[in-house]
Amino acid sequence: MYNINETIVALATPAGIGAIGVIRLSGSKAIEITDKIFKGKKLANQASHTLHFGKIMQGDKVLDEAVVSLYKAPKSYTGEDVVEISGHGSQYILEQIINLCIANGAHMAKAGEFTQRAFLNGKLDLAQAEAVADLIASQSGAAQQAAMHNLRGGFSEELKQMREQLIQFSALIELELDFSQEDVEFADRTQLYKLIHDINEIAGKLADSFRLGNVIRNGVSVAIIGKPNAGKSTLLNALLNEERAIVSDIAGTTRDTIEETLNVNGILFRLIDTAGIREHTSDVIESIGVQRSIDTMKRADVVVYLYDVNNTTGEEIAEQAALFKQENMNYLLVANKTDAYFGNKQNGTIYISAKNKENVNALKQALYDKVITGDINTESTIITNARHYASLQEVLKSITDIQAGLDTHIASDLIALDIRRCLFYLGEITGEVTTEDKLDYIFSKFCIGK
Ligand SMILES: Nc1nc2c(ncn2[C@@H]2O[C@H](COP(=O)(O)OP(=O)(O)OP(=O)(O)O)[C@@H](O)[C@H]2O)c(=O)[nH]1
Ligand SMILES: [Mg+2]
């Protein structure tokens, strides 16, 4: 539980050694507290959005030389008075500065508390606040773009407008209930129908974008699976363009899974090299590795089945493919060692030479195409948040009920109920409807200092 009256402090930059480290304070006493430990101009008398050089004093000892940035309420990230102290990036110095702030009345900020205050002060809605966390966590171009789009308002505005229109209808319908004896209709059913139709379309499109959003936000896990010596580790190295995994002509070289990330056109792929799968091995460690490979394969978003084209029969491959299909897996068949192969090529199979890095780019593109259909339109809104997705599903359900109610001319009070349900879930996304517990939960997933 947060106490919004407290002035909070936290390190805003990562812990560790850096050229500078930034400590951030927010709250009504942010400037007063900083004035107590800062030797330079009196900050309380300075204008907002100004920088001040001075000394951070620990009693009469100079602890550090620092630059202080001032943001006065409401023109700051949180909407409160905010001070940022940029000191030298020594963990010791930064800890001491934080301790000084606490000794002078500041409280250590909890995870996400700065952004939660920004939300509570109306600087951001909930979906935007969540986009801040996504932006910080983004590890690829696509993730950054989607988060940035949502931070700038993305779909919030659209949802808010729909919600407001629906509120008007809800009010009119509830008014009808007061006149239920007189059989009047204040709410224009044709207009309501149109609005419901629009909400259905927009919410449906947003919900559909979640599959892609999930890929963008969490990346795609790719298990490289196959028999020993197929060239899986060689392929991992070729994809990464780096000698990451040990390669040898001894079957059973890779024992444990090896995971590395690869960025393809802005999408993050987590490649997992696995131990070659063979049924009969007396080696205990190898058989643990084989079990791990099977588990990895089951969890992966995409399975790359790699085989040595020179010693694998068509029946074997067909059998594998049937197995993947039966398990509903997203898979690619990849034939390796084409440098020593002169036979026929099958449709639907990618032929590569991992050793000579031949056609490896085609495989990268095939991986990308497996998860992304068409271009990622960076300007369109993509839902990346499971919470939003869950709420949108509920919006869509209530819309179906409203529509059915209108079609069958059911009583207004029942329609009013479904509309309220729809309003609730629309409002939940942007935070217009929320509870303190829910907020605490959402913001606790943030990092401290944001
Ligand atoms: N000619 C040829 N040899 C390859 C190719 N790719 C891998 N090899 C060779 O095949 C052998 C096995 O390669 P690895 O990458 O260790 O095979 P793996 O599938 O990881 O094997 P395990 O870890 O034992 O399951 C090595 O001698 C590689 O040099 C290729 O494209 N062409
Ligand atoms: Mg290997």
Side-chain angles (χ1 to χ4, degrees):
M1 195 81 64
Y2 300 114
N3 183 349
I4 196 118
N5 299 316
E6 287 174 353
T7 293
I8 49 172
V9 64
L11 185 65
T13 43
I17 298 172
I20 54 171
V22 178
I23 289 158
R24 189 195 249 170
L25 292 107
S26 179
S28 57
K29 294 211 167 73
I31 297 174
E32 185 187 312
I33 291 169
T34 314
D35 256 332
K36 286 187 190 157
I37 63 168
F38 182 73
K39 198 167 161 187
K41 285 183 187 155
K42 191 170 164 60
L43 299 169
N45 299 336
Q46 307 305 314
S48 183
H49 293 70
T50 53
L51 298 178
H52 306 278
F53 177 75
K55 297 184 177 73
I56 302 292
M57 303 301 295
Q58 200 167 30
D60 30 346
K61 200 177 89 197
V62 178
L63 178 64
D64 196 11
E65 291 188 337
V67 172
V68 168
S69 342
L70 283 186
Y71 305 88
K72 291 194 174 169
K75 288 192 166 177
S76 70
Y77 179 67
T78 58
E80 306 169 333
D81 280 348
V82 168
V83 175
E84 282 176 8
I85 304 173
S86 305
H88 288 99
S90 131
Q91 213 161 336
Y92 171 75
I93 294 176
L94 297 168
E95 265 169 29
Q96 295 299 308
I97 299 178
I98 290 175
N99 287 342
L100 282 172
C101 292
I102 290 172
N104 283 287
H107 293 259
M108 198 63 210
K110 295 181 189 72
E113 195 171 358
F114 288 92
T115 307
Q116 183 161 8
R117 287 181 179 210
F119 166 70
L120 292 173
N121 290 323
K123 284 275 165 179
L124 301 165
D125 68 33
L126 197 53
Q128 287 174 306
E130 289 169 308
V132 172
D134 288 348
L135 192 63
I136 293 171
S138 65
Q139 289 185 56
S140 68
Q144 175 269 338
Q145 296 254 7
M148 200 62 214
H149 182 78
N150 291 340
L151 176 59
R152 295 206 321 260
F155 56 94
S156 296
E157 204 41 54
E158 234 168 355
L159 292 189
K160 269 184 213 158
Q161 274 174 20
M162 293 190 301
R163 189 161 179 273
E164 258 156 45
Q165 288 180 43
L166 200 56
I167 285 174
Q168 284 171 18
F169 274 108
S170 164
L172 290 173
I173 287 187
E174 309 230 344
L175 197 63
E176 286 173 11
L177 300 180
D178 293 341
F179 291 85
S180 54
Q181 309 299 338
E182 296 163 41
D183 196 23
V184 285
E185 271 193 6
F186 295 118
D188 181 332
R189 296 296 189 270
T190 320
Q191 275 182 24
L192 177 58
Y193 211 92
K194 185 181 174 306
L195 178 64
I196 293 303
H197 177 82
D198 289 350
I199 296 178
N200 194 33
E201 192 141 296
I202 293 169
K205 218 185 267 174
L206 285 175
D208 286 346
S209 75
F210 183 64
R211 202 186 71 84
L212 175 60
N214 210 20
V215 162
I216 287 176
R217 181 185 162 127
N218 300 324
V220 183
S221 57
V222 179
I224 306 173
I225 295 285
K227 288 187 178 170
N229 267 347
K232 298 178 296 299
S233 301
T234 311
L235 174 59
L236 176 81
N237 292 346
L239 286 165
L240 297 173
N241 215 359
E242 162 191 335
E243 298 308 307
R244 171 65 182 85
I246 299 172
V247 165
S248 87
D249 57 5
I250 304 166
T253 299
T254 306
R255 298 298 184 94
D256 208 347
T257 50
I258 301 176
E259 187 170 331
E260 286 293 330
T261 56
L262 174 73
N263 191 321
V264 182
N265 305 337
I267 297 289
L268 205 71
F269 289 86
R270 288 194 304 282
L271 306 173
I272 311 161
D273 178 23
T274 64
I277 297 175
R278 58 174 159 186
E279 274 150 29
H280 306 292
T281 170
S282 52
D283 186 319
V284 181
I285 299 174
E286 190 188 346
S287 58
I288 296 171
V290 168
Q291 189 51 47
R292 238 170 235 194
S293 304
I294 293 168
D295 294 344
T296 306
M297 174 172 79
K298 287 184 178 156
R299 278 197 306 267
D301 297 319
V302 182
V303 172
V304 166
Y305 184 75
L306 189 72
Y307 61 91
D308 182 340
V309 68
N310 302 295
N311 61 21
T312 313
T313 63
E315 289 83 64
E316 250 177 279
I317 298 156
E319 214 171 278
Q320 261 313 324
L323 211 77
F324 290 141
K325 272 190 199 132
Q326 191 189 324
E327 297 282 322
N328 233 341
M329 284 181 188
N330 206 358
Y331 67 94
L332 285 173
L333 297 177
V334 182
N336 189 27
K337 309 195 186 183
T338 47
D339 49 289
Y341 175 70
F342 305 98
N344 293 328
K345 294 186 175 177
Q346 303 285 329
N347 275 341
T349 300
I350 301 160
Y351 289 81
I352 65 165
S353 165
K355 195 172 169 184
N356 298 345
K357 296 196 173 98
E358 264 167 32
N359 231 15
V360 169
N361 280 337
L363 173 57
K364 284 187 190 177
Q365 190 59 44
L367 278 173
Y368 182 88
D369 294 343
K370 267 275 161 203
V371 290
I372 309 280
T373 36
D375 268 350
I376 304 179
N377 183 352
T378 48
E379 279 312 305
S380 72
T381 302
I382 298 165
I383 294 286
T384 57
N385 188 309
R387 191 185 73 79
H388 301 166
Y389 180 67
S391 299
L392 283 168
Q393 294 291 339
E394 295 299 330
V395 167
L396 289 169
K397 268 190 229 158
S398 56
I399 289 288
T400 308
D401 291 344
I402 300 171
Q403 230 157 12
L406 288 172
D407 286 343
T408 54
H409 303 282
I410 60 161
S412 303
D413 50 348
L414 294 176
I415 293 187
L417 227 83
D418 290 332
I419 291 182
R420 254 184 260 157
R421 218 173 84 224
C422 184
L423 284 173
F424 175 86
Y425 288 111
L426 277 173
E428 217 182 30
I429 298 173
T430 51
E432 283 158 296
V433 178
T434 191
T435 63
E436 207 163 321
D437 285 352
K438 202 177 265 174
L439 284 183
D440 285 351
Y441 174 75
I442 290 169
F443 285 101
S444 68
K445 303 260 175 264
F446 278 56
C447 52
I448 292 184
K450 193 65 223 180

